[in-house]
Amino acid sequence: MSEALQAPGVALRSDALIALRRVALTAEAAPVLAALPGGFATRRKGHGLEVADMREYVAGDDIRHLDRGTTARTGRLHVRQFQEERDRVSLLVADFRPAMFWGMRRAFRSVAVAEALTLIGWNVVESGGRVGVLALTAGEPVIVPPRGRTRGMLDVIGGMVQAHEAGLAAMVAGQGEDPALDQALSRADRLVPSGAELIIGSGFDAPGAGLADRLDALARRRLPRLVLVTDAQIARMPQGRYPIRLADGRRVRLTLGGGAAAAEDPVRQIAGRAALVLDAGETVEQMARRIVAAFPAERAA
């Protein structure tokens, strides 16, 4: 590829995504942005294996949960309360279809999608969850099964970098048509178990006629959450097919314009569902503050 396609904001680099761990863990929620509907309960009181609390016995408590040690020490009956352990599994869906390789300020929308999902992914693994990736391109997707800890997140970053390189190469080769998003998501439910969340980062170009139905089907056993990545400058342009000339002289056409700026409309409806709007021209620190507010790591059940 030409030198221009290796520039920051155009190419996706693993070291830059790894460095976002610090940004993700130190970000403070933007006070003006309410969280999106929903949440992910990582623990709740129940009949699990880990003790959550100890309290005095009251009529109706299960005597099998009596704590002998505390009862002996205090002379009063005490019972254990247990917490149900849940494994948080998150599938990051990164849209690297051709229309995402465009940006007028800091970065391509494709790069901003990878940054946003990486910020979310670091928070997931640091809170004890597992994370995987489904990276969509003009060709075959790149899939990394969910894994936990830093090793799992590094695998996700490697998968996104690989898919981004393939998507950028396809765009340069003139593959400017986006496969329909609803069809690209057809295998997402088979990659994670019931109860998992799917965080879809996209510009939602070429959604396909069945996107709403696809999201509804996913929502029956999983939690789809949407992140719309746009560019405030592009959003102000009239929607249309724009000819773009690359540094090597080749020409491609991209569908651009007609969107809403993130600063003006921080939450939008996509296929009947709320989507957090992020601006690719924002700094990663600004994106991190929006993400922390919209995607809290834990929510009490």
Side-chain angles (χ1 to χ4, degrees):
M1 292 188 186
S2 68
E3 184 177 346
L5 295 178
Q6 298 300 317
V10 176
L12 191 63
R13 292 185 170 83
S14 58
D15 56 346
L17 298 182
I18 293 170
L20 291 181
R21 178 180 178 274
R22 177 189 58 80
V23 178
L25 299 182
T26 59
E28 296 181 358
V32 297
L33 181 62
L36 295 179
F40 198 90
T42 55
R43 288 184 176 181
R44 62 163 51 167
K45 290 184 178 179
H47 299 288
L49 298 178
E50 188 174 347
V51 177
D53 197 5
M54 197 82 63
R55 62 170 175 80
E56 288 194 38
Y57 174 87
V58 296
D61 283 339
D62 192 334
I63 60 173
R64 292 176 298 176
H65 297 156
L66 287 175
D67 185 85
R68 296 179 181 179
T70 305
T71 298
R73 286 195 307 272
T74 63
R76 298 185 302 275
L77 292 176
H78 277 73
V79 293
R80 296 174 178 177
Q81 285 185 295
F82 298 89
Q83 63 188 10
E84 179 183 6
E85 297 181 29
R86 289 187 175 186
D87 184 15
R88 182 182 183 185
V89 180
S90 299
L91 181 68
L92 309 178
V93 182
D95 186 357
F96 296 148
R97 296 176 301 156
M100 297 301 294
F101 291 90
W102 174 259
M104 296 186 69
R105 294 180 292 164
R106 184 186 66 85
F108 278 6
R109 291 191 301 166
S110 58
V111 172
V113 160
E115 292 169 339
L117 294 179
T118 299
L119 289 167
I120 295 170
W122 278 123
N123 277 316
V124 171
V125 296
E126 289 296 331
S127 64
R130 292 185 291 146
V131 64
V133 71
L134 168 63
L136 310 176
T137 70
E140 286 297 309
V142 173
I143 298 171
V144 176
R147 290 181 60 187
R149 304 187 179 183
T150 300
R151 179 70 259 174
M153 192 59 208
L154 293 178
D155 289 345
V156 164
I157 288 173
M160 285 198 288
V161 170
Q162 175 190 344
H164 193 272
E165 289 177 352
L168 188 58
M171 188 273 293
V172 171
Q175 299 179 28
E177 294 297 326
D178 284 30
L181 183 58
D182 57 348
Q183 295 301 314
L185 293 173
S186 60
R187 68 177 71 184
D189 59 341
R190 300 195 295 270
L191 301 178
V192 288
S194 296
E197 60 181 350
L198 291 88
I199 303 172
I200 304 169
S202 174
F204 294 94
D205 307 273
L211 180 59
D213 291 338
R214 179 73 65 191
L215 294 177
D216 287 344
L218 289 172
R220 292 191 186 105
R221 294 184 178 273
R222 293 157 187 88
L223 177 63
R225 308 178 78 174
L226 312 184
V227 177
L228 170 61
V229 176
T230 183
D231 188 297
Q233 291 296 110
I234 296 176
R236 297 187 182 101
M237 298 166 58
Q239 187 171 7
R241 296 277 291 174
Y242 288 84
I244 306 298
R245 182 167 181 161
L246 304 176
D248 59 5
R250 279 183 279 185
R251 297 175 181 270
V252 297
R253 284 183 172 270
L254 299 178
T255 301
L256 304 171
E264 299 170 358
D265 194 1
V267 177
R268 286 181 58 191
Q269 291 292 312
I270 300 291
R273 295 181 178 274
L276 172 67
V277 183
L278 298 178
D279 181 1
E282 290 182 316
T283 66
V284 290
E285 290 79 11
Q286 289 172 317
M287 286 199 298
R289 293 179 69 227
R290 292 178 179 271
I291 287 168
V292 168
F295 295 96
E298 293 190 10
R299 175 178 59 82

